[in-house]
Amino acid sequence: MPEASAAISTSNIDFESIRDDFPVLSRQVKGKPLVYLDNAASSQMPVQVADRIDRYHRNEHANVHRGIHTLSQESTDAYEDTREKIRRFINAEYKHEIIYTTGTTDSINLVANSFGRTFVREGDEILVTEIEHHANIVPWQMIAEQTGAVVRAIPVNDRGEVILEEYLDLLGKKTAIVAVGHVSNALGTVHPVKEMIREAHKYDVPVLVDGAQAVPHGVVDVQDLDADFYAFSAHKMCGPTGFGILYGKEKYLDRMPPYRGGGDMIDKVSFEGTTYNTLPHKFEAGTPPIAAGIGFGSAIDYLNKIGMDHIAAREHELLEYATEQLLSIDGLKIIGTAKEKASVISFVLDEIHAHDVGTILDQHGIAIRTGHHCAQPTMRRFNIPATARASVSFYNNKEDIDRLVEGIKEVKNLFASM
Amino acid sequence: MEHIKDIQQKIIREFEALGDWTERYKYIIKMGRELQPLDDEYKVDENLVRGCQSQVWLHTYLKDGKVHFEADSDAAITKGLVALMVRFYSGQDPDTIINTSPEFIQKIGMENHLSPTRSNGLASMVKQMKIYAMAYKAKQQKEGMKA
């Protein structure tokens, strides 16, 4: 994550010319050059990835895993190549521990359902942090309702950091699983997941990490973290929408039943009974989003070429600059001031609703997110209805931040002039 | 009560007299500020319009066969747009509300706010106003049948 990589220099990478890979960055919005600072919602796609997907559709398309013909074999190879790329990217031990899903939400639902139905019992406890994305709360509530388990929230302090003593108090023999975001989408907090996992393992409790906001922004090593499950999405890391990953340790995945039935996930089917395919295919029923899978492989190549350590260092630089510049604005308060943060700055302005800030910034061609960020409990914790959120990517630059700061000043002027 | 088409024309003319988007947004914010405040007793969850990113409360009552709306929001621009809708629909009879769409929104350059996929929920508010009008119409018909 960024803190470890901050020392790495970005000087040997030309981040300004990298912007040319993203044609969208040179378009105009409302007659002004676009400033895209909504990367935590979705990142932009470089031409290399778009071209790869285009080539697949034009020349290579065929269904995977079932054909005897050349085209099918080629598309299967390209689609399966991504699995090995992902394995290396997050340093998983085995390729079959990489399960393709439709995104982080789908990955978490898979674990909640499959692990939940097998291992969660009445009276068990599922621990999540108080500031999780709804995708890492609601699936657990649903499985808790079915099994009679209880979802309990690990509190955070006023900076938006998990209170470790409280976590240790909650953790125990009743705990069935811990589900924690690696980086909070609403506040940007980098949670101490390695430490949290180590503590959970003392009770043999597995930990699922929602890595949607972490994998795009730094080096993630699932073996080093010792994570039992790790979920993330392609579209937040230069890839297409509708594709995501669930990493799971073989020892759990092997014992978990399939989540969805259909083609590809079976071994033998008869009306007397069906046996299931091996990992990873057991969890991948039906024709998958092949083009998206191949496109994601190309996104991984793209990120590797720049280097995740360089990306982390670049974003760390931008985040520090943005924090400093934003804090120079009177009446602006940053929500989430954890020591370790990545990519995201959430803020509120005195007397001006976040929604108004976002609407006026849009008029200036500046894209940010406003609202509760699919994290209503987080907003309640900080006693605010909504925040404005700017989130940076490596292809942003200081000029983007300056434009944001100018834009916020314009918002303030507009309201002050009335 | 003023005819709804006249109100529509008046709003369009008011906005035509304004300059760039800054002027238009300032005017909208001003209308929100001038909106008659909604009593706290009506700022309750049951009156919240669903689908709004900012909070919008909508209170309604029927008086002399006309539907009256009172509303509020915690965000300034939304509140201004809400004020426009209240000005447009409040005091009209149910049929007029059901059969008239706020076409002026496009003419004043605010059509993106009315998109059903827009999270500010102005579209939800209009829908909610029409649902109230339909409910009042059904009630009136039922009472008419009894009489």
Side-chain angles (χ1 to χ4, degrees):
Chain A
M1 295 314 302
E3 69 275 14
S5 319
I8 290 169
S9 161
T10 57
S11 55
N12 51 343
I13 307 278
D14 183 1
F15 279 100
E16 271 312 310
S17 57
I18 276 176
R19 286 173 73 87
D20 296 340
D21 293 339
F22 298 83
V24 71
L25 297 180
S26 43
R27 71 165 274 192
Q28 305 252 317
V29 168
K30 312 264 179 189
K32 285 158 192 149
L34 167 70
V35 171
Y36 187 76
L37 290 169
D38 194 18
N39 294 287
S42 201
S43 62
Q44 297 296 341
M45 185 185 283
V47 282
Q48 288 85 341
V49 177
D51 286 350
R52 181 66 193 93
I53 293 171
D54 184 66
R55 201 169 81 228
Y56 168 78
H57 282 305
R58 285 172 195 275
N59 300 309
E60 303 169 17
H61 173 69
N63 211 334
V64 289
H65 300 146
R66 21 172 100 50
I68 192 163
H69 54 82
T70 306
L71 219 53
S72 171
Q73 193 52 54
E74 282 176 7
S75 69
T76 303
D77 288 348
Y79 183 66
E80 285 299 324
D81 268 356
T82 296
R83 214 183 294 273
E84 173 58 20
K85 286 174 185 172
I86 302 289
R87 185 200 69 73
R88 266 183 274 145
F89 194 72
I90 61 170
N91 191 33
E93 189 173 2
Y94 306 113
K95 205 163 84 170
H96 60 255
E97 292 177 322
I98 306 297
I99 312 292
Y100 290 162
T101 66
T102 65
T104 307
T105 299
D106 190 34
S107 299
I108 298 172
N109 274 281
L110 192 164
V111 178
N113 278 277
S114 177
F115 177 89
R117 274 185 278 136
T118 316
F119 294 101
V120 177
R121 306 261 175 270
E122 195 177 343
D124 279 357
E125 293 180 349
I126 297 164
L127 304 187
V128 301
T129 81
E130 206 179 0
I131 57 170
E132 289 307 308
H133 189 284
H134 294 163
N136 202 19
I137 300 175
V138 182
W140 303 112
Q141 286 176 327
M142 288 163 72
I143 201 68
E145 210 167 282
Q146 287 171 36
T147 55
V150 188
V151 177
R152 300 192 68 183
I154 310 158
V156 300
N157 63 23
D158 290 342
R159 291 190 299 274
E161 297 163 323
V162 157
I163 304 168
L164 280 169
E165 300 77 46
E166 301 255 14
Y167 169 60
L168 296 180
D169 281 350
L170 284 166
L171 200 59
K173 286 184 178 140
K174 278 184 170 178
T175 316
I177 189 165
V178 176
V180 54
H182 199 161
V183 174
S184 152
N185 76 302
L187 307 181
T189 310
V190 181
H191 289 307
V193 287
K194 192 172 171 178
E195 194 175 345
M196 292 176 79
I197 291 167
R198 195 169 56 230
E199 292 300 331
H201 286 175
K202 288 182 184 166
Y203 296 90
D204 269 334
V205 171
V207 178
L208 174 138
V209 181
D210 168 357
Q213 301 292 350
V215 186
H217 304 298
V219 179
V220 169
D221 180 330
V222 290
Q223 290 192 79
D224 177 56
L225 292 174
D226 205 13
D228 303 282
F229 300 102
Y230 198 101
F232 55 103
S233 299
H235 74 96
K236 292 189 200 292
M237 39 197 300
C238 300
T241 53
F243 200 80
I245 298 296
L246 171 69
Y247 158 79
K249 278 185 189 163
E250 182 189 52
K251 69 169 182 177
Y252 286 111
L253 292 178
D254 255 348
R255 289 151 69 200
M256 283 159 53
Y259 166 47
R260 278 194 288 253
D264 234 17
M265 52 76 72
I266 49 89
D267 172 28
K268 285 187 189 118
V269 178
S270 74
F271 286 102
E272 286 70 46
T274 292
T275 53
Y276 304 122
N277 203 339
T278 51
L279 289 174
H281 306 292
K282 177 170 92 172
F283 291 109
E284 297 174 4
T287 296
I290 304 163
I294 293 172
F296 191 28
S298 145
I300 296 293
D301 292 342
Y302 182 82
L303 295 172
N304 278 335
K305 211 170 145 197
I306 303 171
M308 290 312 292
D309 45 358
H310 292 129
I311 286 174
R314 164 73 169 181
E315 292 179 356
H316 183 80
E317 231 172 72
L318 288 171
L319 192 71
E320 295 238 299
Y321 181 70
T323 305
E324 184 192 300
Q325 293 300 309
L326 287 173
L327 284 175
S328 74
I329 301 172
D330 265 353
L332 184 144
K333 188 181 169 205
I334 290 179
I335 307 293
T337 48
K339 272 188 215 109
E340 306 298 345
K341 278 178 75 172
S343 172
V344 166
I345 304 185
S346 237
F347 60 92
V348 290
L349 278 182
D350 270 355
E351 310 286 326
I352 306 174
H353 194 283
H355 196 274
D356 293 325
V357 177
T359 304
I360 302 297
L361 287 179
D362 179 50
Q363 293 292 331
H364 289 281
I366 302 163
I368 61 157
R369 171 95 182 257
T370 65
H372 53 64
H373 317 296
C374 295
Q376 288 176 9
T378 312
M379 298 298 117
R380 272 195 289 279
R381 166 65 180 80
F382 290 90
N383 202 20
I384 40 175
T387 74
R389 180 189 73 182
S391 47
V392 297
S393 179
F394 58 89
Y395 46 70
N396 287 117
N397 56 19
K398 286 191 176 176
E399 203 186 317
D400 289 339
I401 309 296
D402 294 340
R403 286 269 310 279
L404 171 70
V405 170
E406 272 314 300
I408 296 169
K409 285 179 180 165
E410 295 282 347
V411 174
K412 286 187 53 160
N413 288 342
L414 189 137
F415 277 85
S417 68
M418 298 187 51
Chain B
M1 188 63 214
E2 222 177 330
H3 197 280
I4 199 160
K5 284 195 174 139
D6 296 334
I7 303 175
Q8 186 126 262
Q9 280 313 313
K10 257 191 201 168
I11 294 173
I12 293 167
R13 274 201 302 277
E14 284 167 21
F15 275 83
E16 274 169 358
L18 299 170
D20 66 352
W21 67 266
T22 322
E23 300 270 307
R24 294 202 299 274
Y25 272 105
K26 277 187 182 179
Y27 192 60
I28 285 169
I29 294 165
K30 186 168 156 270
M31 275 189 290
R33 288 186 180 171
E34 286 164 0
L35 180 68
Q36 194 186 334
L38 186 65
D39 266 1
D40 278 348
E41 64 172 306
Y42 300 122
K43 280 193 191 174
V44 290
D45 284 357
E46 297 90 89
N47 286 338
L48 273 177
V49 177
R50 285 182 184 275
C52 292
Q53 205 181 65
S54 41
Q55 303 191 83
V56 174
W57 296 270
L58 181 64
H59 167 64
T60 175
Y61 59 92
L62 192 70
K63 196 178 157 192
D64 303 329
K66 310 285 186 192
V67 186
H68 292 263
F69 293 109
E70 292 174 356
D72 204 346
S73 171
D74 59 346
I77 295 166
T78 309
K79 190 171 174 177
L81 293 165
V82 159
L84 261 178
M85 289 303 171
V86 169
R87 176 178 165 195
F88 186 57
Y89 281 126
S90 193
Q92 302 293 339
D93 57 64
D95 267 327
T96 308
I97 296 169
I98 295 163
N99 297 321
T100 316
S101 292
E103 281 152 14
F104 66 89
I105 285 289
Q106 194 177 0
K107 299 254 167 58
I108 67 172
M110 294 290 149
E111 64 275 15
N112 60 342
H113 288 285
L114 200 60
S115 152
T117 52
R118 179 105 180 171
S119 52
N120 71 1
L122 192 64
S124 313
M125 164 135 177
V126 172
K127 192 171 154 198
Q128 193 60 44
M129 289 171 126
K130 291 196 177 211
I131 289 170
Y132 276 127
M134 283 178 208
Y136 284 129
K137 186 186 174 181
K139 199 177 157 203
Q140 281 174 333
Q141 281 171 342
K142 211 170 150 193
E143 281 164 4
M145 271 155 56
K146 273 185 207 158

